[in-house]
Amino acid sequence: MTKRAGILVAVGATVAGLVTAVPSAASTAPPAPGPAASLKWTACGTQAYPALQCATVRAPLDHDRPSGRRITLALSRVPHTAKTSRGPLLVNPGGPGGSGLSLAGFVASALPAKVAAQYDVIGFDPRGVGESTPALDCVPGYFDPVRPGSVPDSLRSERANRERAASFAAACGEKHGDLLPYMDSVSAAKDLDVIRQALGARQINYFGYSYGTYLGAVYAKLFPERVRRLVLDSIVDPDGVWYEDNLGQDYAFDARHKAFAAWVAKNDATYRLGTDPAKVEAAWYRMRDAVRKHPAGGTVGPSELEDIFLPGGYYNGYWPELAEVFAAYVNDADEDALATAYEDFAAVDASGDNGYSVYTAVQCRDAAWPRSWSTWRADTARAHRKAPLMAWNNTWYNAPCATWPVAPLNPVRVTNDRIPPALLFQATDDAATPYEGGVTMHRKLKGSSLVVEEGGGNHGISLSGNDCLDAYLVDYLTDGTLPRSGGSGPDAVCDALPDPEPASAAKASTKAAPSTGSAAKGLTLHGLLGTRG
């Protein structure tokens, strides 16, 4: 999991206040919760989000043994300011492995003030993540450059990547063997109910992006009576967790890379890489071949190059900067541009090591993965023939699951007719969670409403500058209003935002402070969501 340098806002967690939520009058009231934990919220505001408060709560490592070993979950909060609270709104950025502490500040500031004022917006670091303890870090520096090239050019190079992935799995088992049996989405969902109880809330509202959509759906399946409002944005296909979902990503990311090449060709006057998208794409692959032979700046080989351009598949707001780097290398042989881009877009620090460790721990435990390497090889080779951008890179990212030291669980069947109507957002050309996932989840959550961004390719689309999408979110959080089409397809459709302009967007700093402008809003959100999940 990579994070854009300089975007994430660190939030410290300290021990911490009691929040009382008001349940929705329209939903069936569940049984009264047990005694709330004694929480004392402590100020931990930042320049960007001065109202943030922090806390910790204890949860069982094994929820089947509640009196056994305990872990600590880090929480953040922007408290409601209205006279009446609609209860906690828990927010999650995805992953698995993403920290949600700063996301609470972003969501509270991005929503209209009158709406945000009615909720206690709650961020959290899921078990094993960030400020929660214990935190996983299986192999510090696992992504340090220069890694082996992702696309095998011999059986020897394939073996090197296989052994590397297997060594990561073995190291996780040796270092965190006591934790790995409890690193899964069901355990994380049960943690959410511990948080609910600690907040003294009868029900929660939940807003999740990416993997956070699956986590929210699992929580709703386990605790349907505890759900008040449920917002899922950029939706995991619950029928594909996790091997099939990753194969689907290979094709979708390749399609987004072709869209990037077409955009570069359209802006040839700026980037001077040609007006034919196919030739622009071919130049990119020549660049990948070149850095295999001679890593740019001594740090950017083909695997690192793929990681640099991966964020462009998540968010087109990065395209101008990525195109400048691409052009600088191809036109001017500027290796420093690629090396700098690696630091900005792809370098993995300690938080990234932690995020990847949690990512593998959860995905490898949640569901079965092929144990026969011949299956991985055949499926990846098939995908690579049609989608050569990321197929092998994605395989090596997930390959520890082929030898994971803990047996997998059965995936949760998230089909649900016991929760209030949910609001779902999905872009038609999303690469990380392809469109079919939104359609599948819409079918499985009875009464849900699906809002589609037509022609949109970004991952994480609400609160990212599209006023049409945000209007549906605001209506739902205000009084539960949902669009209804009366048919089997989407309930509402919004046009995608235009692709960025080279001149203005290329100068946007990756370290700019959050603002309310559409471009800055999107940049800030996607910095918090990160990549790979």
Side-chain angles (χ1 to χ4, degrees):
M1 175 176 293
T2 56
K3 297 288 185 182
R4 292 211 54 181
I7 286 182
L8 296 184
V9 182
V11 181
T14 56
V15 179
L18 183 63
V19 181
T20 301
V22 179
S24 169
S27 59
T28 303
S38 177
L39 300 177
K40 292 183 179 179
W41 292 95
T42 302
C44 61
T46 66
Q47 183 177 0
Y49 309 121
L52 273 178
Q53 301 171 349
C54 289
T56 60
V57 65
R58 303 278 282 172
L61 173 64
D62 180 355
H63 284 279
D64 291 335
R65 297 177 59 213
S67 60
R69 181 180 173 185
R70 314 286 281 180
I71 60 173
T72 299
L73 304 174
L75 311 178
S76 64
R77 176 180 77 163
V78 177
H80 74 278
T81 55
K83 291 182 179 180
T84 303
S85 170
R86 296 185 182 273
L89 173 62
L90 275 65
V91 297
N92 180 272
S99 169
L101 298 180
S102 293
L103 186 63
F106 172 81
V107 169
S109 63
L111 286 170
K114 287 184 178 181
V115 177
Q118 300 173 48
Y119 289 91
D120 296 294
V121 184
I122 307 293
F124 60 97
D125 279 355
R127 58 175 50 207
V129 175
E131 298 294 332
S132 292
T133 56
L136 273 64
D137 190 349
C138 299
V139 182
Y142 181 72
F143 288 97
D144 287 354
V146 174
R147 310 196 310 273
S150 63
V151 181
D153 57 3
S154 65
L155 287 176
R156 181 179 179 181
S157 66
E158 180 181 337
R159 189 180 306 114
N161 270 312
R162 283 186 62 189
E163 291 174 351
R164 184 171 177 272
S167 69
F168 184 90
C172 279
E174 293 171 6
K175 190 173 183 178
H176 298 300
D178 57 333
L179 303 176
L180 295 187
Y182 312 104
M183 292 299 301
D184 59 86
S185 294
V186 169
S187 295
K190 291 179 178 180
D191 289 344
L192 297 186
D193 210 55
V194 171
I195 294 172
R196 176 196 61 78
Q197 293 179 62
L199 296 171
R202 295 171 64 90
Q203 294 177 305
I204 65 168
N205 308 280
Y206 180 89
F207 182 4
Y209 292 94
S210 193
Y211 164 77
T213 65
Y214 183 68
L215 179 61
V218 171
Y219 178 83
K221 183 67 173 183
L222 298 179
F223 305 100
E225 73 280 4
R226 300 298 185 192
V227 176
R228 180 179 179 274
R229 301 265 190 270
L230 181 66
V231 182
L232 308 180
D233 184 325
S234 303
I235 300 163
V236 165
D237 186 339
D239 288 344
V241 292
W242 291 109
Y243 184 73
E244 294 296 332
D245 280 350
N246 275 280
L247 286 175
Q249 284 185 340
D250 296 342
Y251 299 94
F253 271 108
D254 198 79
R256 286 306 288 162
H257 192 61
K258 285 179 168 58
F260 167 68
W263 180 85
V264 172
K266 178 183 176 182
N267 293 287
D268 178 61
T270 300
Y271 302 115
R272 298 181 295 114
L273 288 167
T275 59
D276 183 342
K279 291 182 178 179
V280 171
E281 188 180 17
W284 191 92
Y285 285 107
R286 288 195 299 273
M287 176 172 63
R288 185 167 74 172
D289 290 341
V291 298
R292 177 187 285 272
K293 298 172 183 174
H294 176 74
T299 59
V300 180
S303 294
E304 290 75 24
L305 184 76
E306 292 155 2
D307 290 351
I308 290 170
F309 283 82
L310 180 65
Y314 284 86
Y315 177 51
N316 63 4
Y318 299 145
W319 286 2
E321 291 176 80
L322 293 173
E324 282 200 337
V325 170
F326 180 15
Y329 183 85
V330 172
N331 295 330
D332 305 318
D334 187 347
E335 294 188 13
D336 290 340
L338 278 183
T340 299
Y342 173 75
E343 293 300 322
D344 284 346
F345 285 94
V348 177
D349 58 12
S351 67
D353 285 336
N354 166 242
Y356 179 65
S357 296
V358 174
Y359 171 93
T360 50
V362 172
Q363 293 218 346
C364 298
R365 176 67 167 151
D366 265 359
W369 294 70
R371 302 297 282 190
S372 169
W373 184 250
S374 62
T375 300
W376 291 73
R377 178 192 290 118
D379 287 340
T380 307
R382 186 180 304 110
H384 179 78
R385 285 193 290 271
K386 292 185 177 180
L389 174 70
M390 289 296 299
W392 279 104
N393 187 299
N394 203 21
T395 286
W396 301 127
Y397 197 81
N398 292 284
C401 294
T403 58
W404 199 247
V406 179
L409 302 171
N410 292 319
V412 175
R413 298 183 181 276
V414 301
T415 301
N416 204 322
D417 60 3
R418 299 179 57 200
I419 58 172
L423 176 60
L424 315 181
F425 291 104
Q426 186 65 46
T428 56
D429 301 328
D430 184 351
T433 52
Y435 180 73
E436 293 74 15
V439 174
T440 300
M441 190 71 82
H442 182 34
R443 185 176 66 249
K444 290 181 179 292
L445 301 185
K446 185 177 180 180
S448 62
S449 179
L450 176 62
V451 178
V452 168
E453 187 181 49
E454 183 66 38
N458 290 338
H459 178 69
I461 55 176
S462 62
L463 300 184
S464 190
N466 190 320
D467 292 339
C468 175
L469 297 172
D470 290 352
Y472 290 113
L473 175 65
V474 168
D475 287 348
Y476 181 66
L477 292 179
T478 298
D479 57 15
T481 298
L482 288 168
R484 296 296 183 192
S485 69
S488 59
D491 294 282
V493 176
C494 294
D495 291 334
L497 296 175
D499 286 334
E501 294 293 331
S504 58
K507 297 182 182 299
S509 170
T510 64
K511 301 179 181 180
S515 77
T516 57
S518 293
K521 202 176 190 181
L523 185 67
T524 302
L525 173 64
H526 289 88
L528 292 169
L529 300 186
T531 60
R532 295 283 192 185

